[in-house]
């Protein structure tokens, strides 16, 4: 039985750019799917197709059991969407923004007022509730935007990079709210560039690149594909970098990567602390002084580098053009 969010073979092109190239997704009810990928990989285009803001060129998709192409209005009544940028009216107060959304959904005025008060409390915005949104900080606007997406308690939520640009405190607060939603039965598709965020929130992760799903699994499964663990060494003398790289490569599952400016070397390994001790002994025997050494789990960049050949922050010109065009057409649709 298809999940609360289900897509098969989604394709979307913009001129010569193939922004989506056969995306398949399935998100069981009451779970979180983290859609992880570099800038311009097709994450936002996927969300826009699933929320009816864009029409796919081919493929099928259902949200809350409703066909997104045949019944877009019904889909819109069943979902909440928090996009990359806060979509609030700067000249209305936080309270007025939320009450307006409720009334647009045909809530009675008293019900909209009550729901706005609940959300202001939930998102720690009570003190700023009656100030114009233009006086809010970036984090406050982000929380207000997310609150607006929850006014009607949608069974399915889409969050497109909801914590980008937020400080750690605001990010943690949003994570807490998201966990509460899911524990209450909400199904969530979350796009992000932060593996840490997916670690905290997602039951399953799909990695997308060039408009295709290239890997899926739990966070631990994806990390295991990149080598499981990493040994990092910072040598004291730049002249020792080459010798240290040879030693690390001999112990690792691949060639050591080197950051010349920081004198840091990294290599994927298996063997944990026991292997780390052997590496330290060998470096010491060769007279290589270390400023720092440690064993860690893979990072976001490790996963992306292993799966895509580039880091999360690097954007290919072609895929970036696709998501840029998607954004332009979405704005035109909104008008």
């Amino acid at each position: 039985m298809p999940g609360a969010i289900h897509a098969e073979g989604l394709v979307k092109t913009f001129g010569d750019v193939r922004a989506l190239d056969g995306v398949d997704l399935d998100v069981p009810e009451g779970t979180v799917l983290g859609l992880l990928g570099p800038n311009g990989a097709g994450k936002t285009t996927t969300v826009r197709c699933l929320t009816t803001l864009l029409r796919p060129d081919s493929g099928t998709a259902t949200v809350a059991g409703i066909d997104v192409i045949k019944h877009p209005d019904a889909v819109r009544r069943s979902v909440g969407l928090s996009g990359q940028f806060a979509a609030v009216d700067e000249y209305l107060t936080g309270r007025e923004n939320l009450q307006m959304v409720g009334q647009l959904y045909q809530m009675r005025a008293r019900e909209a007022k009550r729901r706005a008060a609940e959300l202001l409390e939930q998102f720690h915005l009570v003190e700023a509730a009656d100030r114009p949104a233009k006086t809010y900080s970036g984090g406050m606007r982000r929380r207000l935007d997310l609150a607006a997406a929850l006014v009607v308690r949608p069974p399915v939520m889409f969050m497109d990079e909801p914590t980008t640009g937020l400080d750690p405190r605001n990010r943690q607060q949003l994570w807490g709210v998201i966990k509460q939603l899911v524990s209450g039965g909400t199904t969530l598709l979350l796009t992000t560039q932060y593996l840490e965020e997916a670690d905290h929130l997602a039951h399953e992760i799909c990695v997308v690149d060039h408009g295709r799903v290239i890997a899926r699994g739990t966070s631990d499964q994806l990390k295991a594909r990149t080598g499981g663990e990493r040994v990092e060494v910072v040598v004291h003398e730049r002249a020792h970098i080459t010798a240290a790289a040879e030693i690390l490569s001999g112990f690792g599952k691949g060639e050591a990567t080197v950051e010349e400016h920081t004198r840091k070397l990294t290599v994927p390994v298996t063997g944990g602390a026991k292997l780390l001790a052997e590496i330290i002994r060998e470096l010491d025997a060769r007279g290589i002084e270390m400023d720092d050494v440690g064993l860690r789990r893979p990072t976001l960049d490790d996963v992306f580098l292993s799966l895509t050949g580039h880091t999360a922050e690097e954007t290919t010109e072609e895929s970036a053009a696709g998501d840029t065009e998607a954004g332009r057409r979405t704005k035109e649709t909104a008008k």
Side-chain angles (χ1 to χ4, degrees):
M1 181 177 177
I5 303 171
H6 184 78
E8 292 183 11
L10 287 185
V11 173
K12 184 64 184 177
T13 59
F14 301 99
D16 296 331
V17 177
R18 200 170 179 86
L20 298 183
D21 191 15
V23 169
D24 296 327
L25 297 173
D26 192 71
V27 190
E29 185 176 345
T31 66
V32 181
L33 176 71
L35 202 58
L36 199 67
N39 290 324
K43 304 187 301 295
T44 296
T45 303
T46 300
V47 168
R48 287 169 174 158
C49 286
L50 292 172
T51 55
T52 76
L53 295 175
L54 287 174
R55 185 183 178 92
D57 298 328
S58 61
T60 61
T62 58
V63 175
I66 307 167
D67 191 298
V68 301
I69 297 175
K70 295 179 180 178
H71 307 290
D73 288 341
V75 169
R76 291 169 193 154
R77 289 192 292 269
S78 302
V79 303
L81 170 63
S82 179
Q84 287 188 20
F85 306 102
V88 298
D89 189 316
E90 293 188 341
Y91 295 96
L92 296 180
T93 67
R95 191 185 308 276
E96 289 167 343
N97 265 284
L98 298 181
Q99 290 179 185
M100 176 186 69
V101 171
Q103 290 172 342
L104 287 172
Y105 275 98
Q106 299 182 339
M107 282 185 176
R108 293 183 177 180
R110 180 177 296 179
E111 183 184 1
K113 184 176 180 180
R114 180 186 56 79
R115 182 61 177 149
E118 290 177 355
L119 290 167
L120 290 166
E121 179 73 31
Q122 184 177 6
F123 284 86
H124 309 285
L125 291 170
V126 173
E127 293 184 2
D130 298 310
R131 282 168 33 198
K134 66 180 179 180
T135 68
Y136 285 17
S137 67
M140 292 168 69
R141 290 190 190 197
R142 206 75 183 91
R143 281 181 278 154
L144 181 61
D145 180 66
L146 182 52
L150 296 172
V151 167
V152 293
R153 295 185 178 89
V156 180
M157 275 290 299
F158 293 86
M159 298 184 187
D160 193 7
E161 301 190 15
T163 64
T164 298
L166 295 187
D167 60 42
R169 180 183 177 186
N170 279 315
R171 183 172 292 140
Q172 290 283 347
Q173 287 179 342
L174 275 183
W175 286 355
V177 171
I178 290 169
K179 288 179 178 179
Q180 288 177 9
L181 288 173
V182 177
S183 66
T186 299
T187 305
L188 172 62
L189 189 149
L190 168 79
T191 78
T192 182
Q193 292 186 34
Y194 302 126
L195 188 57
E196 180 188 10
E197 187 158 272
D199 266 334
H200 276 77
L201 301 174
H203 296 88
E204 186 178 39
I205 297 169
C206 283
V207 181
V208 295
D209 196 33
H210 293 93
R212 297 186 298 274
V213 175
I214 60 172
R216 70 180 71 215
T218 66
S219 178
D220 286 342
Q221 288 170 341
L222 292 178
K223 289 175 183 179
R225 290 183 58 168
T226 68
E229 296 172 314
R230 296 288 188 275
V231 167
E232 284 186 350
V233 175
V234 179
V235 299
H236 184 68
E237 298 287 344
R238 198 173 301 276
H240 289 155
I241 288 178
T242 300
E246 291 175 359
I247 293 170
L248 290 179
S249 296
F251 282 97
K253 293 182 64 178
E255 294 297 314
T257 59
V258 178
E259 296 178 13
E260 291 279 353
H261 63 292
T262 60
R263 307 183 310 283
K264 184 169 77 173
L265 301 94
T266 306
V267 67
V269 299
T270 56
K274 182 179 179 180
L275 184 65
L276 176 62
E278 293 177 13
I279 292 172
I280 292 172
R281 283 195 293 269
E282 182 65 21
L283 291 168
D284 187 58
R286 295 277 293 272
I288 299 173
E289 187 178 351
M290 295 164 283
D291 288 344
D292 194 17
V293 61
L295 184 71
R296 64 166 175 78
R297 301 290 300 278
T299 65
L300 174 69
D301 277 351
D302 295 326
V303 173
F304 280 158
L305 191 60
S306 172
L307 294 173
T308 71
H310 54 83
T311 68
E313 298 304 319
E314 295 172 357
T315 308
T316 61
E317 182 177 346
E318 179 179 290
S319 56
D323 265 5
T324 299
E325 179 67 10
R328 183 185 68 79
R329 295 199 180 193
T330 300
K331 290 177 181 177
E332 290 178 354
T333 301
K335 294 177 181 178

